[in-house]
């Protein structure tokens, strides 16, 4: 099975949190959290279309400038999502700079900023050519868990308690079309952008009897094409599977309410990225700072029935002792019911 998304933590577990989620066969990516983005190349940064910020503590938001810097001067819209009060924090970032020359920019860069409230999502658009001036609301839509819904996936959010509202996030593929590479080879078809068109046709449930044209470029830029019947091609080269679920939980207190919500929200995830800031013996500190311990993280992963989990956001006090956190979570995961 080959999922369409390959999420990876941007930094080591002692550095800023952030999950980079590139799409397979597409120059596109999502981002959960906006901490230090230094390890991402410009090419990777430019793939990002949607950013979901759990909360605006500095370690989760300091990468905003890096992203803005690289998108300036491009004809793009960057979509940002964050918890209540997010507009004010984005506006604070934008107002830190001088924008007197942007009127002359030929391109049309925009920031579409969304504030996720318990029952509504509010949207504002900040336009580069206008110097990112404070804007009126452009929309207010009901929210009941789904933040973003696209043809092949959805992103859900839940507001958790970090002494401020903090978003838990998940990404779920609706179902995915798995391409069998060997079959492509047998048919003499190269991989390429046509595979996206092919997947889109399947996701949109186009008539299996309709024609599908496979096109690709050969050396010297000559375009080649072959015509198939969509259903026949699907039978030959694809396997359709239920999509993977990836969840991301960080900066939350181990309160009974949070734990209940986290288990429900991350239920049956294929992969759970979860913070483990402290060891159980420092659980008083963890509670005071509204963070999880490795033990609680392991227990939550087990109770939610997740297939795999990855720990991150370790407190610097455990530098060179990461295995103690890993060990404690593993022990709790194996023990929990
Ligand atoms: Zn944090
Ligand atoms: Zn925090």
């Amino acid at each position: 099975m080959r999922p369409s998304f390959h999420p990876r933590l941007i930094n080591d577990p002692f550095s800023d949190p952030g999950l980079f989620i590139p799409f397979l066969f597409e120059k596109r990516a999502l981002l959960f959290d906006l901490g230090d983005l230094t390890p991402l190349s410009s090419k990777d940064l430019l793939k990002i279309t949607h950013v979901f910020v759990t909360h605006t503590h500095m370690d989760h938001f300091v990468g905003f400038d890096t992203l803005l810097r690289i998108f300036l001067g491009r004809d793009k819209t960057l979509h940002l999502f964050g918890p209540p009060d997010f507009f004010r924090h984005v506006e604070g970032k934008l107002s830190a700079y001088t924008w007197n020359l942007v009127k002359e920019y030929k391109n049309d860069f925009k920031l579409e900023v969304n504030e996720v409230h318990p029952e509504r999502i509010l949207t504002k658009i900040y336009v580069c050519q206008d110097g990112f001036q404070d804007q009126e609301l452009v929309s207010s839509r009901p929210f009941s868990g789904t933040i973003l819904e696209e043809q092949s996936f959805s992103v859900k959010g839940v507001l958790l308690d970090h002494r401020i509202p903090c978003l838990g996030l998940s990404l779920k593929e609706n179902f995915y079309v798995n391409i069998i590479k060997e079959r492509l080879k047998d048919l003499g078809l190269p991989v390429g952008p046509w595979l996206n068109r092919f997947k889109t046709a399947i996701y949109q449930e186009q008539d299996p009897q309709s024609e599908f044209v496979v096109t690709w470029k050969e050396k010297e830029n000559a375009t080649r094409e072959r015509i198939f019947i969509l259903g026949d091609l699907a039978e030959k080269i694809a396997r359709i599977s239920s999509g993977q679920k990836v969840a991301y939980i960080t900066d939350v207190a181990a309160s009974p309410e949070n734990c209940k919500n986290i288990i429900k929200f991350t239920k049956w995830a294929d992969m759970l990225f979860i913070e483990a800031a402290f060891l159980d013996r420092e659980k008083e500190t963890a509670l005071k700072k509204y963070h999880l311990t490795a033990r609680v993280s392991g227990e939550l992963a087990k109770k939610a029935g997740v297939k795999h989990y990855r720990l991150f956001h370790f407190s610097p006090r455990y530098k060179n002792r990461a295995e103690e956190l890993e060990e404690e979570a593993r022990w709790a995961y194996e023990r929990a019911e």
Side-chain angles (χ1 to χ4, degrees):
M1 292 300 130
R2 207 140 84 108
S4 316
F5 301 100
H6 285 198
R8 64 173 200 265
L9 289 168
I10 297 165
N11 296 299
D12 70 76
F14 288 99
S15 304
D16 287 358
L19 191 67
F20 181 66
I21 313 174
F23 292 37
L24 215 60
F25 304 126
E26 232 181 302
K27 289 193 184 86
R28 187 180 171 194
L30 306 179
L31 191 65
F32 286 179
D33 267 341
L34 253 182
D36 180 10
L37 300 179
T38 317
L40 294 180
S41 65
S42 309
K43 203 169 138 219
D44 275 344
L45 290 170
L46 286 168
K47 289 181 190 165
I48 297 168
T49 59
H50 293 69
V51 184
F52 304 83
V53 178
T54 58
H55 63 302
T56 47
H57 279 158
M58 205 171 177
D59 49 335
H60 300 256
F61 197 48
V62 73
F64 179 90
D65 288 18
T66 309
L67 205 57
L68 181 63
R69 183 78 187 86
I70 198 152
F71 272 81
L72 271 186
R74 293 175 199 270
D75 259 319
K76 285 186 182 249
T77 299
L78 189 62
H79 305 259
L80 299 174
F81 300 80
D85 215 22
F86 193 48
F87 294 142
R88 194 170 64 82
H89 292 288
V90 171
E91 284 165 14
K93 284 276 194 187
L94 293 170
S95 67
Y97 298 102
T98 308
W99 302 109
N100 63 316
L101 297 177
V102 289
K103 272 197 184 56
E104 316 307 324
Y105 282 19
K106 295 258 178 323
N107 65 83
D108 185 23
F109 173 63
K110 290 190 189 89
L111 278 173
E112 187 217 79
V113 183
N114 300 272
E115 245 183 42
V116 181
H117 290 257
E119 287 175 2
R120 297 204 81 74
I121 297 183
L122 311 180
T123 306
K124 286 187 178 187
I125 293 176
Y126 301 83
V127 180
C128 176
Q129 283 168 340
D130 294 345
F132 300 106
Q133 282 172 47
D134 186 5
Q135 297 298 321
E136 297 289 301
L137 277 191
V138 292
S139 84
S140 164
R141 59 185 168 100
F143 168 62
S144 56
T146 302
I147 299 180
L148 175 70
E149 178 122 57
E150 289 200 14
Q151 184 180 287
S152 57
F153 71 90
S154 58
V155 174
K156 291 189 192 292
V158 63
L159 286 163
L160 301 165
D161 180 19
H162 181 43
R163 207 146 98 191
I164 46 168
C166 177
L167 279 170
L169 295 164
S170 78
L171 165 71
K172 171 88 172 82
E173 289 171 279
N174 294 343
F175 62 86
Y176 65 86
V177 181
N178 201 40
I179 304 293
I180 311 163
K181 276 254 178 85
E182 300 76 59
R183 300 276 177 81
L184 288 182
K185 256 190 221 145
D186 295 346
L187 289 171
L189 299 174
V191 297
W194 70 268
L195 280 169
N196 279 326
R197 267 197 306 113
F198 169 74
K199 287 183 173 181
T200 303
I202 306 273
Y203 291 134
Q204 289 176 344
E205 296 175 24
Q206 284 179 17
D207 180 5
Q209 295 308 317
S210 61
E211 276 188 356
F212 182 84
V213 186
V214 175
T215 50
W216 69 94
K217 290 233 185 314
E218 295 219 314
K219 277 178 204 132
E220 279 121 40
N221 258 349
T223 306
R224 286 276 313 271
E225 67 172 52
R226 274 172 68 185
I227 298 170
F228 291 87
I229 299 298
L230 181 64
D232 290 352
L233 184 62
E235 225 162 78
K236 288 193 175 101
I237 66 163
R239 199 180 293 127
I240 295 174
S241 327
S242 64
Q244 67 165 342
K245 175 174 172 179
V246 176
Y248 178 89
I249 299 291
T250 190
D251 295 58
V252 282
S255 66
E257 182 72 5
N258 268 346
C259 290
K260 193 181 84 196
N261 287 333
I262 292 166
I263 292 167
K264 189 168 160 222
F265 184 75
T266 61
K267 202 82 193 170
W268 311 124
D270 297 275
M271 176 57 108
L272 167 65
F273 293 88
I274 187 162
E275 73 155 338
F278 297 96
L279 285 169
D280 185 53
R281 62 172 176 265
E282 265 115 9
K283 64 178 175 220
E284 296 307 320
T285 312
L287 210 58
K288 252 189 250 152
K289 298 193 171 202
Y290 282 71
H291 279 287
L292 296 179
T293 62
R295 176 180 176 165
V296 173
S297 303
E299 283 168 0
L300 290 172
K302 180 63 173 282
K303 287 179 180 162
V306 308
K307 278 201 199 108
H308 305 281
Y309 68 84
R310 265 293 289 286
L311 305 179
F312 67 101
H313 213 350
F314 298 163
S315 159
R317 70 180 67 187
Y318 304 110
K319 203 80 190 171
N320 304 321
R321 290 160 56 210
E323 69 288 348
E324 286 182 46
L325 292 152
E326 296 286 357
E327 183 52 45
E328 183 175 293
R330 199 177 313 122
W331 173 82
Y333 182 83
E334 280 161 11
R335 242 177 102 260
E337 308 257 313

